[in-house]
């Protein structure tokens, strides 16, 4: 039986590849005819030096690889990477990508900003497991886009700790830090579970039920972008953003 040709191929530039960070089976969230492919930066760490080295060495290599494999869109994955680069540089990089390859160029950080606008919220609490140093860069990136951050948690993680977590540990942390963030900022209009390595999707509907406000992650915002573009339909059961409800 021949495989169905994908209707749309969405490319991701990820921090690490499968060899260094094996991916467990994930909730599809998009139709079978939407194929998601990836190319890794193979980042050493989320430090400024680690991000600069990986992006300078691998970003355009990854874009070229994804486009050759049929990607119609390319997204730079990871809040830490975009935050270390700063928003002006990310926006310039995305614009150059569009010009060179005529594809939709995006970043997790930009998808999050636009998703918050879609939801009609601006004052947010952030559940973060990263170090204070990295949190400052995330804070600077989002506030430069006009987002008001009421609180941001920390668990002192850099890349090595983030990528070595088990699914169970990541899920537990996503719930614990989400509750901590909302305790610190009960008037927040949305809860942002920052990061993708901790597999926090399952915590989204739990937090929404508990706190009565939208909850999102940056991987969720990436999928929402495909919905906003008309590539994928809304999905029920995984939070307001993926259901395309405000």
């Amino acid at each position: 039986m021949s495989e169905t040709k994908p209707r749309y191929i969405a490319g991701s530039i990820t921090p690490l590849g499968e060899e260094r960070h094996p991916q467990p089976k994930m909730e599809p969230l998009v139709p079978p005819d939407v194929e998601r492919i990836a190319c890794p930066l193979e980042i050493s760490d989320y430090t400024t030096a680690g991000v600069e080295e990986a992006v300078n060495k691998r970003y355009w290599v990854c874009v070229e690889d994804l486009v050759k494999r049929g990607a119609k869109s390319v997204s730079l994955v990871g809040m830490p990477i975009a935050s270390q680069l700063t928003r002006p540089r990310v926006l310039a990089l995305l614009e150059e990508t569009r010009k060179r390859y005529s594809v939709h160029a995006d970043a997790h950080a930009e998808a999050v900003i636009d998703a918050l606008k879609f939801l009609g919220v601006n004052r947010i609490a952030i559940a973060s497991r990263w170090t204070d140093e990295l949190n400052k860069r995330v804070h600077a990136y989002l506030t430069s886009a006009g987002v008001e951050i009421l609180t941001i948690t920390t668990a002192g993680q850099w890349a090595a700790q983030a990528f070595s977590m088990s699914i169970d540990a990541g899920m537990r942390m996503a719930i614990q830090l989400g509750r901590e963030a909302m305790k610190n900022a009960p008037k927040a209009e949305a809860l942002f579970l920052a990061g993708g390595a901790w597999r926090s999707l399952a915590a989204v509907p739990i937090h929404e039920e508990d706190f009565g406000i939208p909850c999102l992650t940056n991987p969720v915002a990436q999928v929402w972008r495909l919905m906003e573009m008309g590539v994928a339909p809304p999905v029920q059961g995984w939070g307001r953003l993926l259901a395309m409800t405000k």
Side-chain angles (χ1 to χ4, degrees), residues 64 93 132 148 200 231:
E64 181 79 18
L93 199 60
D132 288 332
E148 183 180 351
S200 53
V231 172

Side-chain angles (χ1 to χ4, degrees), residues 55-240:
V55 170
N56 290 338
K57 185 181 295 184
R58 293 277 300 167
Y59 179 81
W60 293 113
V61 172
C62 283
V63 173
E64 181 79 18
D65 173 72
L66 293 170
V67 171
K68 283 184 177 179
R69 290 157 63 190
K72 296 180 181 178
S73 60
V74 173
S75 181
L76 179 62
V77 168
M79 288 298 298
I81 295 174
S83 298
Q84 290 286 25
L85 292 175
T86 73
R87 192 168 190 234
R89 186 171 172 194
V90 169
L91 293 176
L93 199 60
L94 299 183
E95 181 60 27
E96 183 64 23
T97 304
R98 296 182 193 106
K99 289 180 179 179
R100 287 195 195 185
Y101 293 94
S102 300
V103 295
H104 178 86
D106 201 8
H108 269 193
E110 291 303 310
V112 167
I113 290 167
D114 289 345
L116 293 172
K117 293 176 183 176
F118 169 81
L119 291 166
V121 299
N122 189 59
R123 304 174 74 241
I124 70 170
I126 300 180
S128 167
R129 63 192 189 284
W130 298 313
T131 64
D132 288 332
E133 180 181 341
L134 195 48
N135 279 344
K136 289 177 183 177
R137 303 304 290 263
V138 173
H139 188 284
Y141 192 106
L142 293 176
T143 55
S144 72
V147 179
E148 183 180 351
I149 299 171
L150 304 184
T151 189
I152 183 166
T153 65
T154 179
Q157 289 190 353
W158 286 105
Q161 294 81 17
F163 287 114
S164 64
M165 281 191 304
S166 68
I167 295 176
D168 294 331
M171 180 62 192
R172 180 180 64 184
M173 187 176 287
I175 293 175
Q176 289 176 337
L177 292 181
R179 289 172 176 168
E180 179 184 333
M182 289 307 299
K183 182 179 179 180
N184 294 339
K187 294 186 178 180
E189 298 170 337
L191 173 61
F192 174 37
L193 306 180
W198 55 350
R199 301 287 174 263
S200 53
L201 175 62
V204 169
I206 294 172
H207 285 316
E208 288 197 346
E209 182 177 352
D210 286 348
F211 300 112
I213 60 174
C215 178
L216 69 157
T217 73
N218 36 293
V220 160
Q222 183 183 13
V223 175
W224 167 80
R225 180 73 84 191
L226 295 175
M227 297 174 180
E228 181 201 36
M229 294 167 58
V231 172
V235 175
Q236 303 299 318
W238 296 107
R240 297 186 198 180

